[in-house]
Each structure stands twice: as C-alpha cells, then as structure tokens.
Amino acid sequence: MGSDGQIGLDFGEVDPTQVKTPPPGPPEWVRWFRQMDAQLEKFTTETVPGLPQPIWSDAAIDRVAAVFGEFFPNEDSVTDPQKADIADQFIRWIGECYVHRRGMQWYNHPHASGGLYQGFGPAVREPSNEAETTFVIEILEWAAHDDLAYVRHALG
C-alpha cells in the first residue's frame, strides 16, 4: 500500500495502455478511455483479487479463466444490466490483453457497443490493418458461450 493509503497496481515493465491520450471519438468514448486504469485496478483488486502481474500474462489469463464462469455462465449474462460494471471491467481487461500481447490498439467503433455502451463501442485493431476491427464485447460473448479458451487461444 502506498504512503497515501492507496493500493498500487503493478502493470509490469510497460504502461497499462500503449496510448496515453484517448483515441479519437465522441466525448463518451474519451470519458470511458480515461477511466481505463481505475476500472482495471478495480478488476484486479475487487473482481479478480490476487491477479498475477502483469495483468495480461499467461498466469493472469489462467487465473481469470478459472473464475470466468462464475461471472458469465452464459452469453446472455454479458449484457445483463446488473452485470454492466463487471462486463465493462472484463472488456477492458480483454482489450488490454490484445493491446499488450498482440500489439493492437484501442479504437472506437459505434457498432461495437453491444447494447452496453451508448454512443461508442470499445474495439481493438492492428495499427497496420484498419479494415479489420475486433469488437471486444463479442470476444466476451464468445467466451461466455464457450469458455475463456477462445481468448487464450487468440492471444497465443
């Protein structure tokens, strides 16, 4: 715990996001992106406490996979309004795994909202391939339909 009474989050040797300023988009997207660190800290201290560091490591993915079904037992549970905050945390964590493990970047795509967000949609894409966008909420839905093995496989 830091001298100011706050718990520090070890993101490893790299920054939590590759981009310090929010990618272009509407004000809702900018606000969402600026809350990234706070939501990821909540994910690692409250939702999945004791998550190995860095939070996108193989050990961390294995730890999340072990408890994933408790949060999302089926695909419909992803868009359950009572689970919106937890779904948001998972979306951020999954996106950050793609950013740090696959070199992708966050991108706002309004059609990627999945009904969870209004006016924006969290997506990732490779910097060199702007035509191919991955909707992070779809990854969460696929994981809830099967299990987190899809994400684990895609991340290598």
Side-chain angles (χ1 to χ4, degrees):
M1 189 171 293
S3 61
D4 59 359
Q6 293 185 345
I7 296 173
L9 183 60
D10 178 13
F11 286 106
E13 301 261 335
V14 293
D15 292 328
T17 56
Q18 288 182 340
V19 181
K20 289 295 184 190
T21 56
E28 299 87 356
W29 167 249
V30 172
R31 275 192 297 279
W32 182 87
F33 194 84
R34 287 190 175 142
Q35 295 171 346
M36 185 72 72
D37 291 347
Q39 279 292 82
L40 288 173
E41 182 158 347
K42 188 175 182 181
F43 182 74
T44 63
T45 59
E46 296 175 26
T47 305
V48 188
L51 194 63
Q53 303 294 321
I55 63 170
W56 45 81
S57 67
D58 287 345
I61 293 170
D62 290 343
R63 169 81 170 91
V64 172
V67 299
F68 184 80
E70 296 171 25
F71 296 101
F72 303 107
N74 57 53
E75 192 174 339
D76 291 336
S77 62
V78 170
T79 54
D80 179 346
Q82 294 181 336
K83 293 185 178 222
D85 187 54
I86 290 194
D88 178 66
Q89 292 171 40
F90 271 87
I91 285 168
R92 292 170 190 269
W93 174 75
I94 290 169
E96 284 294 285
C97 286
Y98 276 80
V99 166
H100 291 279
R101 294 176 66 104
R102 303 240 349 248
M104 298 179 108
Q105 294 178 334
W106 282 105
Y107 172 70
N108 170 46
H109 194 295
H111 299 296
S113 73
L116 205 57
Y117 305 103
Q118 299 300 313
F120 70 96
V124 291
R125 65 181 180 191
E126 293 180 21
S128 61
N129 186 1
E130 293 183 10
E132 185 131 353
T133 301
T134 302
F135 294 6
V136 185
I137 193 162
E138 286 184 354
I139 297 169
L140 184 59
E141 288 170 342
W142 292 330
H145 182 263
D146 295 326
D147 61 29
L148 206 59
Y150 171 82
V151 176
R152 184 77 173 97
H153 175 72
L155 292 171

mmCIF file of all heavy atoms in Angstrom, residues 78-104:
data_model
loop_
_atom_site.group_PDB
_atom_site.id
_atom_site.type_symbol
_atom_site.label_atom_id
_atom_site.label_comp_id
_atom_site.label_asym_id
_atom_site.label_seq_id
_atom_site.Cartn_x
_atom_site.Cartn_y
_atom_site.Cartn_z
ATOM 1 N N VAL A 78 -23.651 -11.554 -20.278
ATOM 2 C CA VAL A 78 -22.750 -10.459 -20.641
ATOM 3 C C VAL A 78 -23.502 -9.132 -20.723
ATOM 4 O O VAL A 78 -22.977 -8.091 -20.328
ATOM 5 C CB VAL A 78 -22.028 -10.761 -21.973
ATOM 6 C CG1 VAL A 78 -21.272 -9.552 -22.493
ATOM 7 C CG2 VAL A 78 -21.092 -11.950 -21.807
ATOM 8 N N THR A 79 -24.712 -9.143 -21.216
ATOM 9 C CA THR A 79 -25.476 -7.903 -21.383
ATOM 10 C C THR A 79 -26.528 -7.700 -20.296
ATOM 11 O O THR A 79 -27.374 -6.823 -20.416
ATOM 12 C CB THR A 79 -26.137 -7.860 -22.778
ATOM 13 O OG1 THR A 79 -26.915 -9.051 -22.963
ATOM 14 C CG2 THR A 79 -25.091 -7.755 -23.870
ATOM 15 N N ASP A 80 -26.447 -8.471 -19.225
ATOM 16 C CA ASP A 80 -27.335 -8.294 -18.079
ATOM 17 C C ASP A 80 -27.013 -6.933 -17.451
ATOM 18 O O ASP A 80 -25.880 -6.695 -17.041
ATOM 19 C CB ASP A 80 -27.096 -9.414 -17.074
ATOM 20 C CG ASP A 80 -27.949 -9.311 -15.825
ATOM 21 O OD1 ASP A 80 -28.553 -8.250 -15.570
ATOM 22 O OD2 ASP A 80 -28.001 -10.315 -15.084
ATOM 23 N N PRO A 81 -27.997 -6.019 -17.371
ATOM 24 C CA PRO A 81 -27.733 -4.687 -16.810
ATOM 25 C C PRO A 81 -27.142 -4.721 -15.404
ATOM 26 O O PRO A 81 -26.382 -3.838 -15.028
ATOM 27 C CB PRO A 81 -29.110 -4.014 -16.798
ATOM 28 C CG PRO A 81 -29.909 -4.746 -17.813
ATOM 29 C CD PRO A 81 -29.382 -6.157 -17.820
ATOM 30 N N GLN A 82 -27.463 -5.744 -14.626
ATOM 31 C CA GLN A 82 -26.913 -5.852 -13.271
ATOM 32 C C GLN A 82 -25.430 -6.206 -13.278
ATOM 33 O O GLN A 82 -24.762 -6.073 -12.259
ATOM 34 C CB GLN A 82 -27.698 -6.877 -12.458
ATOM 35 C CG GLN A 82 -29.118 -6.432 -12.204
ATOM 36 C CD GLN A 82 -29.881 -7.440 -11.386
ATOM 37 O OE1 GLN A 82 -29.555 -8.626 -11.357
ATOM 38 N NE2 GLN A 82 -30.921 -6.977 -10.708
ATOM 39 N N LYS A 83 -24.926 -6.662 -14.412
ATOM 40 C CA LYS A 83 -23.508 -7.036 -14.521
ATOM 41 C C LYS A 83 -22.732 -6.055 -15.392
ATOM 42 O O LYS A 83 -21.613 -6.341 -15.796
ATOM 43 C CB LYS A 83 -23.382 -8.442 -15.109
ATOM 44 C CG LYS A 83 -23.912 -9.510 -14.204
ATOM 45 C CD LYS A 83 -23.645 -10.869 -14.782
ATOM 46 C CE LYS A 83 -24.158 -11.914 -13.824
ATOM 47 N NZ LYS A 83 -23.239 -13.009 -13.688
ATOM 48 N N ALA A 84 -23.317 -4.895 -15.676
ATOM 49 C CA ALA A 84 -22.692 -3.949 -16.606
ATOM 50 C C ALA A 84 -21.295 -3.517 -16.167
ATOM 51 O O ALA A 84 -20.377 -3.460 -16.987
ATOM 52 C CB ALA A 84 -23.592 -2.729 -16.797
ATOM 53 N N ASP A 85 -21.115 -3.235 -14.884
ATOM 54 C CA ASP A 85 -19.801 -2.785 -14.427
ATOM 55 C C ASP A 85 -18.767 -3.901 -14.547
ATOM 56 O O ASP A 85 -17.643 -3.671 -14.990
ATOM 57 C CB ASP A 85 -19.884 -2.283 -12.981
ATOM 58 C CG ASP A 85 -18.576 -1.658 -12.530
ATOM 59 O OD1 ASP A 85 -18.078 -0.730 -13.223
ATOM 60 O OD2 ASP A 85 -18.027 -2.081 -11.495
ATOM 61 N N ILE A 86 -19.149 -5.101 -14.181
ATOM 62 C CA ILE A 86 -18.214 -6.229 -14.288
ATOM 63 C C ILE A 86 -17.925 -6.536 -15.753
ATOM 64 O O ILE A 86 -16.780 -6.794 -16.120
ATOM 65 C CB ILE A 86 -18.746 -7.457 -13.530
ATOM 66 C CG1 ILE A 86 -18.679 -7.145 -12.042
ATOM 67 C CG2 ILE A 86 -17.998 -8.720 -13.894
ATOM 68 C CD1 ILE A 86 -18.841 -8.265 -11.094
ATOM 69 N N ALA A 87 -18.942 -6.497 -16.604
ATOM 70 C CA ALA A 87 -18.715 -6.715 -18.036
ATOM 71 C C ALA A 87 -17.753 -5.659 -18.575
ATOM 72 O O ALA A 87 -16.839 -5.974 -19.355
ATOM 73 C CB ALA A 87 -20.036 -6.679 -18.798
ATOM 74 N N ASP A 88 -17.922 -4.413 -18.153
ATOM 75 C CA ASP A 88 -17.025 -3.347 -18.577
ATOM 76 C C ASP A 88 -15.591 -3.639 -18.138
ATOM 77 O O ASP A 88 -14.652 -3.479 -18.919
ATOM 78 C CB ASP A 88 -17.501 -2.010 -18.007
ATOM 79 C CG ASP A 88 -16.576 -0.867 -18.388
ATOM 80 O OD1 ASP A 88 -16.492 -0.541 -19.593
ATOM 81 O OD2 ASP A 88 -15.927 -0.302 -17.487
ATOM 82 N N GLN A 89 -15.411 -4.100 -16.923
ATOM 83 C CA GLN A 89 -14.069 -4.438 -16.446
ATOM 84 C C GLN A 89 -13.449 -5.555 -17.293
ATOM 85 O O GLN A 89 -12.277 -5.483 -17.665
ATOM 86 C CB GLN A 89 -14.123 -4.875 -14.986
ATOM 87 C CG GLN A 89 -14.490 -3.786 -14.015
ATOM 88 C CD GLN A 89 -14.736 -4.344 -12.632
ATOM 89 O OE1 GLN A 89 -14.018 -5.233 -12.166
ATOM 90 N NE2 GLN A 89 -15.759 -3.841 -11.961
ATOM 91 N N PHE A 90 -14.229 -6.578 -17.592
ATOM 92 C CA PHE A 90 -13.722 -7.679 -18.412
ATOM 93 C C PHE A 90 -13.393 -7.201 -19.826
ATOM 94 O O PHE A 90 -12.402 -7.632 -20.415
ATOM 95 C CB PHE A 90 -14.717 -8.840 -18.449
ATOM 96 C CG PHE A 90 -14.538 -9.833 -17.342
ATOM 97 C CD1 PHE A 90 -15.168 -9.642 -16.123
ATOM 98 C CD2 PHE A 90 -13.742 -10.953 -17.513
ATOM 99 C CE1 PHE A 90 -15.006 -10.557 -15.092
ATOM 100 C CE2 PHE A 90 -13.569 -11.874 -16.494
ATOM 101 C CZ PHE A 90 -14.201 -11.676 -15.268
ATOM 102 N N ILE A 91 -14.232 -6.338 -20.372
ATOM 103 C CA ILE A 91 -13.976 -5.809 -21.718
ATOM 104 C C ILE A 91 -12.657 -5.049 -21.730
ATOM 105 O O ILE A 91 -11.838 -5.211 -22.648
ATOM 106 C CB ILE A 91 -15.158 -4.933 -22.185
ATOM 107 C CG1 ILE A 91 -16.322 -5.844 -22.554
ATOM 108 C CG2 ILE A 91 -14.763 -4.014 -23.344
ATOM 109 C CD1 ILE A 91 -17.646 -5.148 -22.751
ATOM 110 N N ARG A 92 -12.427 -4.247 -20.734
ATOM 111 C CA ARG A 92 -11.166 -3.504 -20.651
ATOM 112 C C ARG A 92 -9.983 -4.461 -20.515
ATOM 113 O O ARG A 92 -8.953 -4.282 -21.153
ATOM 114 C CB ARG A 92 -11.212 -2.537 -19.468
ATOM 115 C CG ARG A 92 -12.205 -1.397 -19.665
ATOM 116 C CD ARG A 92 -12.379 -0.628 -18.349
ATOM 117 N NE ARG A 92 -13.450 0.319 -18.383
ATOM 118 C CZ ARG A 92 -13.340 1.593 -18.745
ATOM 119 N NH1 ARG A 92 -12.164 2.051 -19.133
ATOM 120 N NH2 ARG A 92 -14.362 2.400 -18.727
ATOM 121 N N TRP A 93 -10.126 -5.460 -19.633
ATOM 122 C CA TRP A 93 -9.033 -6.415 -19.433
ATOM 123 C C TRP A 93 -8.742 -7.194 -20.719
ATOM 124 O O TRP A 93 -7.587 -7.320 -21.118
ATOM 125 C CB TRP A 93 -9.360 -7.366 -18.276
ATOM 126 C CG TRP A 93 -8.331 -8.440 -18.125
ATOM 127 C CD1 TRP A 93 -7.072 -8.315 -17.603
ATOM 128 C CD2 TRP A 93 -8.449 -9.796 -18.553
ATOM 129 N NE1 TRP A 93 -6.409 -9.509 -17.674
ATOM 130 C CE2 TRP A 93 -7.242 -10.443 -18.253
ATOM 131 C CE3 TRP A 93 -9.473 -10.522 -19.161
ATOM 132 C CZ2 TRP A 93 -7.019 -11.786 -18.541
ATOM 133 C CZ3 TRP A 93 -9.259 -11.861 -19.444
ATOM 134 C CH2 TRP A 93 -8.039 -12.477 -19.130
ATOM 135 N N ILE A 94 -9.764 -7.698 -21.363
ATOM 136 C CA ILE A 94 -9.567 -8.434 -22.618
ATOM 137 C C ILE A 94 -8.906 -7.530 -23.655
ATOM 138 O O ILE A 94 -7.945 -7.927 -24.317
ATOM 139 C CB ILE A 94 -10.895 -9.003 -23.145
ATOM 140 C CG1 ILE A 94 -11.386 -10.143 -22.238
ATOM 141 C CG2 ILE A 94 -10.751 -9.488 -24.589
ATOM 142 C CD1 ILE A 94 -12.819 -10.589 -22.511
ATOM 143 N N GLY A 95 -9.418 -6.315 -23.801
ATOM 144 C CA GLY A 95 -8.822 -5.383 -24.754
ATOM 145 C C GLY A 95 -7.365 -5.118 -24.457
ATOM 146 O O GLY A 95 -6.522 -5.109 -25.358
ATOM 147 N N GLU A 96 -7.037 -4.924 -23.180
ATOM 148 C CA GLU A 96 -5.641 -4.678 -22.808
ATOM 149 C C GLU A 96 -4.766 -5.901 -23.090
ATOM 150 O O GLU A 96 -3.602 -5.759 -23.457
ATOM 151 C CB GLU A 96 -5.538 -4.269 -21.341
ATOM 152 C CG GLU A 96 -5.955 -2.840 -21.096
ATOM 153 C CD GLU A 96 -5.032 -1.830 -21.751
ATOM 154 O OE1 GLU A 96 -3.916 -1.611 -21.263
ATOM 155 O OE2 GLU A 96 -5.447 -1.247 -22.771
ATOM 156 N N CYS A 97 -5.328 -7.089 -22.932
ATOM 157 C CA CYS A 97 -4.570 -8.293 -23.295
ATOM 158 C C CYS A 97 -4.228 -8.257 -24.784
ATOM 159 O O CYS A 97 -3.091 -8.551 -25.171
ATOM 160 C CB CYS A 97 -5.371 -9.550 -22.967
ATOM 161 S SG CYS A 97 -5.468 -9.939 -21.201
ATOM 162 N N TYR A 98 -5.186 -7.891 -25.610
ATOM 163 C CA TYR A 98 -4.933 -7.792 -27.051
ATOM 164 C C TYR A 98 -3.936 -6.674 -27.363
ATOM 165 O O TYR A 98 -3.084 -6.813 -28.242
ATOM 166 C CB TYR A 98 -6.236 -7.582 -27.823
ATOM 167 C CG TYR A 98 -6.959 -8.865 -28.121
ATOM 168 C CD1 TYR A 98 -7.742 -9.493 -27.156
ATOM 169 C CD2 TYR A 98 -6.851 -9.468 -29.364
ATOM 170 C CE1 TYR A 98 -8.398 -10.682 -27.427
ATOM 171 C CE2 TYR A 98 -7.501 -10.650 -29.645
ATOM 172 C CZ TYR A 98 -8.270 -11.263 -28.668
ATOM 173 O OH TYR A 98 -8.907 -12.450 -28.936
ATOM 174 N N VAL A 99 -4.022 -5.565 -26.653
ATOM 175 C CA VAL A 99 -3.103 -4.446 -26.873
ATOM 176 C C VAL A 99 -1.675 -4.871 -26.547
ATOM 177 O O VAL A 99 -0.750 -4.665 -27.343
ATOM 178 C CB VAL A 99 -3.530 -3.217 -26.031
ATOM 179 C CG1 VAL A 99 -2.423 -2.173 -25.967
ATOM 180 C CG2 VAL A 99 -4.815 -2.604 -26.601
ATOM 181 N N HIS A 100 -1.488 -5.489 -25.385
ATOM 182 C CA HIS A 100 -0.137 -5.793 -24.932
ATOM 183 C C HIS A 100 0.436 -7.089 -25.487
ATOM 184 O O HIS A 100 1.655 -7.206 -25.626
ATOM 185 C CB HIS A 100 -0.095 -5.796 -23.407
ATOM 186 C CG HIS A 100 -0.282 -4.427 -22.854
ATOM 187 N ND1 HIS A 100 0.729 -3.511 -22.780
ATOM 188 C CD2 HIS A 100 -1.393 -3.806 -22.394
ATOM 189 C CE1 HIS A 100 0.268 -2.381 -22.283
ATOM 190 N NE2 HIS A 100 -1.026 -2.534 -22.050
ATOM 191 N N ARG A 101 -0.386 -8.035 -25.801
ATOM 192 C CA ARG A 101 0.117 -9.319 -26.294
ATOM 193 C C ARG A 101 0.161 -9.405 -27.824
ATOM 194 O O ARG A 101 0.962 -10.155 -28.366
ATOM 195 C CB ARG A 101 -0.729 -10.457 -25.729
ATOM 196 C CG ARG A 101 -0.580 -10.588 -24.216
ATOM 197 C CD ARG A 101 -1.488 -11.650 -23.673
ATOM 198 N NE ARG A 101 -1.119 -12.966 -24.145
ATOM 199 C CZ ARG A 101 -0.491 -13.890 -23.438
ATOM 200 N NH1 ARG A 101 -0.139 -13.634 -22.200
ATOM 201 N NH2 ARG A 101 -0.216 -15.065 -23.946
ATOM 202 N N ARG A 102 -0.709 -8.661 -28.481
ATOM 203 C CA ARG A 102 -0.787 -8.754 -29.941
ATOM 204 C C ARG A 102 -0.456 -7.445 -30.648
ATOM 205 O O ARG A 102 -0.523 -7.358 -31.856
ATOM 206 C CB ARG A 102 -2.186 -9.213 -30.369
ATOM 207 C CG ARG A 102 -2.590 -10.531 -29.755
ATOM 208 C CD ARG A 102 -2.913 -11.664 -30.666
ATOM 209 N NE ARG A 102 -3.056 -11.438 -32.061
ATOM 210 C CZ ARG A 102 -4.204 -11.533 -32.744
ATOM 211 N NH1 ARG A 102 -5.328 -11.814 -32.134
ATOM 212 N NH2 ARG A 102 -4.223 -11.354 -34.032
ATOM 213 N N GLY A 103 -0.153 -6.396 -29.886
ATOM 214 C CA GLY A 103 0.222 -5.122 -30.474
ATOM 215 C C GLY A 103 -0.933 -4.352 -31.096
ATOM 216 O O GLY A 103 -0.722 -3.480 -31.935
ATOM 217 N N MET A 104 -2.151 -4.667 -30.689
ATOM 218 C CA MET A 104 -3.311 -3.967 -31.226
ATOM 219 C C MET A 104 -3.485 -2.626 -30.517
ATOM 220 O O MET A 104 -2.806 -2.347 -29.524
ATOM 221 C CB MET A 104 -4.549 -4.845 -31.094
ATOM 222 C CG MET A 104 -4.432 -6.144 -31.897
ATOM 223 S SD MET A 104 -5.872 -7.205 -31.716
ATOM 224 C CE MET A 104 -6.592 -7.018 -33.321
#
